Amino acid sequence: MNGRTILNASTWLIAATLLTAPRPAAAQLPGMPGADPEFVDRVVAVVGDSAIVMSQVSERMFQLGQQMPTDSAALAELQSQVLEALVNEQLLLQAALKDTLITVDDGRINAIVDDELDQRTRRKQNLQQQFLARQAAGRRAVIVEESEMREFFESQRDALPERPATITFANIVLNAEAADSAKAAAMAEAEDILEQLLAGEDFEELARRHSDDPGSQQLGGDLGWFRRGSGFVKEFEDAAFELRPGQVSIPIETEFGYHLIMVERVRGPERKARHILVQPDVTEEDLQRARTTATEIRTRLEQGEAFGALQEEFGAGPIPDTATVATDQLSQLPPGYSAALAGVPADAIVGPIEFGQGGRTSFGLAQVIEVREAGVATFEDVRTEIHDVLSQQKMQERILAELRSAAHVEIRI
């Protein structure tokens, strides 16, 4: 699996796509330079059975948090763009409210917002996003041309954030594996715990007494709420999402050991579960065997063997086979990597790095591919993000065009 650093470009990319399409000319806003002090609020657009008034446009313009143009033509253009955005929002909201398969998780929204106004705004945005996602699902992907991407990049070049200093490296991780006899003993222990559960023993209490997972043991095995793709290994995730509330799994083998999983609640695509982990005992002999293998891999690399071939032979573990990491975020890697990779040149080989993670001991080796200093982001740095944003924008425009053709929209300015 290849890893890469994603620059923090989403803010400027999304903001840049908000007001890009051509808009009709518009009059001045109340409270804006040159506006009529005797202005009376009035309807400026009708969308289906809803109206948009001038004060909404004015409020949204102030919410943009930018200096208002003093030139009347520029001000009118901005007003027209904001009105168009409000019309599009209303089209999406009305269509989403008619879609009976879309529901809003009020509990999750309430946890995010602190006041009633924010709550209403976010609920509408949530509906719109769900509707767009449902409408886009299964549609033929839109085509984004290279020229469009480069044109967008050039138009936003001045708003690009600085690219951070990064290091790119290839990686091999060896896990110290327990002997077959230790695995058999762990499996027998997991089966014994399962028998106790089936006899009526309390899952939470047994987790506190027997689980080898340091992160959840004292919580009675509680893993909280999670969805697919939340970071659990595939075998664990597949088993958890096959269980019904109250069910307990048979022992599930993963790279960490043997798991007993109990799903407590189901909420749409989410599960709330507990688990008990029984890990096979790794002896000093097992550790030394892995340590020796890691040293041998280092020797083979120094003798000129291809890193990729050795990755295929030995690679596994919590870090992607190839990763690009901002140098100021190296501390987020497993212990030992930050010190080993700091300040090393391209082509350097580092390791074995011995570290503990998830209750087991591993040995990592890395080869530095590229070291980049901080600087202005290039087109290639943000190519993927630009493609994604333009693709989403084109899909949204396609959906909005269909909604406009089926709804009554009347612009009155």
Side-chain angles (χ1 to χ4, degrees):
M1 177 171 63
N2 291 328
R4 59 186 175 83
T5 296
I6 298 178
L7 300 177
N8 185 20
S10 59
T11 300
W12 70 267
L13 286 172
I14 292 172
T17 60
L18 174 65
L19 307 172
T20 54
R23 310 286 191 249
Q28 294 170 326
L29 288 173
M32 298 294 177
D36 182 357
E38 301 299 324
F39 177 85
V40 176
D41 208 4
R42 61 189 177 87
V43 174
V44 292
V46 176
V47 183
D49 57 1
S50 299
I52 298 173
V53 295
M54 181 65 80
S55 60
Q56 291 175 269
V57 179
S58 179
E59 180 182 7
R60 178 63 63 86
M61 288 181 70
F62 279 112
Q63 289 173 351
L64 293 176
Q66 65 185 50
Q67 185 69 34
M68 289 297 113
T70 56
D71 175 75
S72 60
L75 184 63
E77 174 64 15
L78 177 59
Q79 174 191 0
S80 181
Q81 293 172 359
V82 169
L83 176 59
E84 187 74 5
L86 289 172
V87 168
N88 289 341
E89 289 175 13
Q90 190 59 231
L91 282 167
L92 289 172
L93 183 60
Q94 290 179 11
L97 289 171
K98 294 176 182 177
D99 191 329
T100 58
L101 296 180
I102 293 180
T103 60
V104 181
D105 187 341
D106 288 330
R108 181 167 63 84
I109 295 175
N110 290 339
I112 298 174
V113 298
D114 296 324
D115 60 83
E116 187 177 351
L117 179 60
D118 264 356
Q119 191 176 81
R120 289 198 302 267
T121 301
R122 289 180 183 266
R123 183 176 289 113
K124 289 192 294 184
Q125 291 174 346
N126 184 274
L127 276 170
Q128 293 167 4
Q129 291 166 2
Q130 285 192 59
F131 177 77
L132 284 171
R134 279 176 48 77
Q135 290 294 308
R139 290 187 181 225
R140 180 168 48 86
V142 297
I143 296 174
V144 179
E145 302 290 347
E146 176 81 5
S147 58
E148 295 177 285
M149 294 165 58
R150 291 192 176 276
E151 180 181 357
F152 183 86
F153 173 78
E154 292 299 331
S155 71
Q156 302 302 318
R157 181 188 289 273
D158 293 341
L160 277 170
E162 184 177 80
R163 170 179 48 78
T166 60
I167 181 169
T168 301
F169 61 94
N171 188 62
I172 297 172
V173 174
L174 293 176
N175 299 318
E177 297 289 344
D180 290 343
S181 58
K183 291 182 179 180
M187 179 63 170
E189 182 182 350
E191 290 175 337
D192 180 66
I193 296 172
L194 177 59
E195 289 183 8
Q196 295 179 58
L197 290 168
L198 296 176
E201 293 276 351
D202 182 66
F203 194 102
E204 186 174 344
E205 180 58 31
L206 288 175
R208 287 195 173 95
R209 283 168 27 203
H210 298 288
S211 183
D212 293 323
D213 177 13
S216 67
Q217 179 192 24
Q218 294 305 312
L219 301 174
D222 187 13
L223 299 172
W225 289 96
F226 59 90
R227 298 183 176 214
R228 285 191 179 273
S230 299
F232 295 106
V233 293
K234 183 178 186 301
E235 299 88 347
F236 183 99
E237 190 176 81
D238 288 346
F241 280 85
E242 288 177 0
L243 295 172
R244 295 191 298 273
Q247 280 190 315
V248 178
S249 72
I250 61 173
I252 304 298
E253 183 178 6
T254 74
E255 61 193 77
F256 297 98
Y258 299 92
H259 306 259
L260 296 170
I261 309 167
M262 181 182 72
V263 169
E264 293 186 317
R265 294 175 59 193
V266 173
R267 184 173 63 192
E270 297 180 313
R271 300 293 185 273
K272 187 177 189 299
R274 296 180 185 270
H275 86 134
I276 297 171
L277 171 64
V278 181
Q279 289 186 315
D281 292 330
V282 176
T283 66
E284 182 57 39
E285 183 180 354
D286 299 325
L287 289 172
Q288 186 56 46
R289 185 170 60 251
R291 191 179 290 117
T292 299
T293 302
T295 302
E296 291 173 352
I297 294 172
R298 164 105 193 207
T299 300
R300 292 169 64 178
L301 287 169
E302 290 173 340
Q303 292 174 346
E305 288 198 44
F307 202 98
L310 291 171
Q311 276 181 326
E312 291 184 9
E313 185 177 350
F314 297 102
I319 310 176
D321 292 341
T322 304
T324 298
V325 181
T327 55
D328 62 359
Q329 296 177 1
L330 284 174
S331 61
Q332 297 179 16
L333 295 174
Y337 271 80
S338 180
L341 291 171
V344 298
D347 297 325
I349 297 172
V350 299
I353 305 165
E354 185 170 342
F355 62 95
Q357 183 162 300
R360 61 181 177 173
T361 301
S362 302
F363 300 86
L365 296 106
Q367 182 173 41
V368 178
I369 298 173
E370 181 184 40
V371 177
R372 297 184 72 188
E373 298 297 326
V376 176
T378 66
F379 174 75
E380 293 301 327
D381 291 328
V382 293
R383 167 192 285 274
T384 301
E385 287 78 8
I386 291 176
H387 178 276
D388 291 346
V389 167
L390 291 181
S391 177
Q392 292 170 13
Q393 180 185 356
K394 283 189 165 187
M395 181 63 74
Q396 179 172 319
E397 289 172 352
R398 180 186 296 176
I399 294 169
L400 283 168
E402 294 172 1
L403 293 175
R404 280 176 176 265
S405 67
H408 172 69
V409 177
E410 179 183 346
I411 305 297
R412 298 186 176 182
I413 58 173

